Amino acid sequence: MTTVSQARARRRDRRVYLRSHPLLFGLLAATRGRPVRRLGRTLLVHGPQAYREALTRLPLDRTAAGTTGAAARSALGDGAAGAGGVLFDQEGAGHRADRRGLAGSLGGAGVEDLRSLWRPLLVHGLAPLERGGEVDLVDLARELSGSVVCALLGSVADPRAVAEAAARAAAASVRSHLPGPRRPRAEAAAAHAADGLRRLLGPSGEALPAMVAVAAVNTTVAALPRAVAWCADAGLWEQAADEDLRPVLADELLRVTAASPLLPRVAAADGVVGGCPVRGGDRLLLVARHAAGAHRRDPDARRPAGPAVDRLVFGAGPHACPGARLARAQLADVLGALAPYRPVVTRARVDRGAALPAWRVLTVRAGDREDRASEDRASETRGSEARGSGAGLRGSRA
């Protein structure tokens, strides 16, 4: 059952969709009553099973116009020195080789190394809350994501400059591939933005590092502030303060915010998705947020959707997002660092030009001391119950 606070959190988060792409998300909301709905040569895929089938059983053309792979190749690959695949547009041996190249940095040991980088940044970035000041979580997310990208790629560039360049490249690429009338010089602007990012990252000009930067920065800047806003509005700081519940809460918040809510794909051959026949060349709009139940199930670390559902926001199969572990660890650390302050949102402004639904500004301040003390007393009263629930969750998720 949705509480008043969860409803408030959901209303605020809905604004990032309705003010950035209102017609598109209006269409998706209107058609989500069925797992799969066909509109001409386009299939809208909402159901979790159909979503998995589309990503794991249906042959996909990863270079077709209008897909993520095509947009990435167009913006980051064409004309780049040593350009090659950009992961999103790859299949077979090339795709496996590039994923293996990222695996060490994004595996368990690699994420722990990166944690030693971003935790001091969190301490410094959140210090104003202790003094009664405010913190813009979007600005902090840019610094965190830029620093992580530079560490992953061995770049000596300024992290904030990298984050800003990656955001510009992604936004320009999306504008050049949106359906409808061609925007004047949109593709040229996308190529120029991508070239600037490649040059900033290093002299090689390769496309793959730029793709890593674009993906990491834009998903982080979209996800972290939205998750914190939902946590604050829904009053979930007690769960965030609990070491057992915190990782589960991070998964739940990533599920409902779904940083990449829509995956555009094209079928490479005939097949079936959710019982609906698919022809080669059909366009598929895979709605990750609906497949993960973000539109109907509120986040709750004590009653989570579980990994079979919450991981769907990272895709499925061999092309699932390789940065999922990193995203979950980083959000968990952000929630843990914020929990003692029980922050509240003081200002939120949508970024209408971002590649992904996101806030342009999301400012928080520490909650009133009386409210924080009241929550701490309530947390102590329910502490044993929460710890018992957390232990049960660990067993069920193993």
Side-chain angles (χ1 to χ4, degrees), residues 71-78 80 83 86 169 194-195 197-198 205-208 210-212 214:
R73 175 173 283 273
S74 174
L76 300 173
D78 291 352
V86 289
D195 184 60
L197 173 61
R198 288 196 303 268
E206 293 181 356
L208 185 58
M211 185 285 300
V212 171
V214 167

Side-chain angles (χ1 to χ4, degrees), residues 272-293:
V272 177
V273 170
C276 181
V278 180
R279 292 173 288 170
D282 280 352
R283 185 177 303 279
L284 297 97
L285 297 181
L286 310 180
V287 191
R289 71 182 307 268
H290 292 167

